Amino acid sequence: MSDKNIQLAVLDMAGTTVADGGLVLRAFEVAATAGGIDPDGPRREQAIRYVIDTMGQSKIEVFRALTGDEERARTANAAFERAYDDLVDEVDIAPVPGAAEAITALREAGVKVALTTGFSRGTQDKLLNALGWRDLADLTVAPAEAGRGRPFPDLVLAAVLRLRADAVDRVAVLGDTTSDIATGLAAGARIVAGTLTGAHDEQRLRAAGATHIVASVTDFPAIVLA
């Protein structure tokens, strides 16, 4: 590889490479009640809006912000993980069309691939097992393993260190949320692309600073390998 080529691609999971059918919000409804947020009323509506706005961030951090109490945040987070895991068993989790092929194309071209998430390791593993993706990428990383979740740079930087990329400007990031964009920019990645298959639209992704916008992950390898 030349000293200008991308060595590492860091891709989000839910909404970017995985179509989960809105399970995050469904699981949140269960978790919010467990965390002491009334099922109806303005506080619940504000909480749902906050979850949408912060989609992609570490879930425990989201619940800390919403509850303002560590014990209730942990209770809500545990309820979220149980609810999400149960829902994964009830519905057919599917990849975003072409996601596996895109990841394989990157790896075959010599680019290492890391899959990241705002979920816990247990929930991430549940998704990977449901998809049969245990060996699809070079690395999978959850927030607790990196230090902090999105929008901090830790997930990307953990992948840089563990997969031994030469520099952060040889990294490309792809995600469907403004939190993904913030993480990639904070980490110094050269390419920080937004995809339109998930939570946030093109306007929000561009406003967050995305260097590229793609219709889906299938368009990402062309940018990385250009």
Side-chain angles (χ1 to χ4, degrees), residues 41 63 68 86 122 138 160-161 171 179 188 216:
F63 288 118
D86 290 343
D138 296 281
V160 168
L161 291 171
V171 176
S179 296
S216 82

Side-chain angles (χ1 to χ4, degrees), residues 11 15-17 96-99 102 174 193-198 213-221 223:
L11 286 73
T16 300
T17 55
V96 169
L174 179 68
T195 179
L196 303 180
T197 52
I213 299 293
V214 296
S216 82
V217 63
T218 58
D219 299 321
F220 190 55
I223 295 173

Side-chain angles (χ1 to χ4, degrees), residues 55-105:
M55 198 72 76
Q57 293 187 19
S58 170
K59 295 301 174 284
I60 183 62
E61 295 299 337
V62 171
F63 288 118
R64 283 173 178 146
L66 285 173
T67 64
D69 179 87
E70 183 66 19
E71 183 176 351
R72 284 195 293 160
R74 291 186 178 277
T75 297
N77 192 59
F80 174 88
E81 292 181 5
R82 287 193 301 271
Y84 195 94
D85 288 353
D86 290 343
L87 289 166
V88 168
D89 290 334
E90 292 175 9
V91 303
D92 291 328
I93 295 295
V96 169
E101 292 81 0
I103 292 168
T104 299

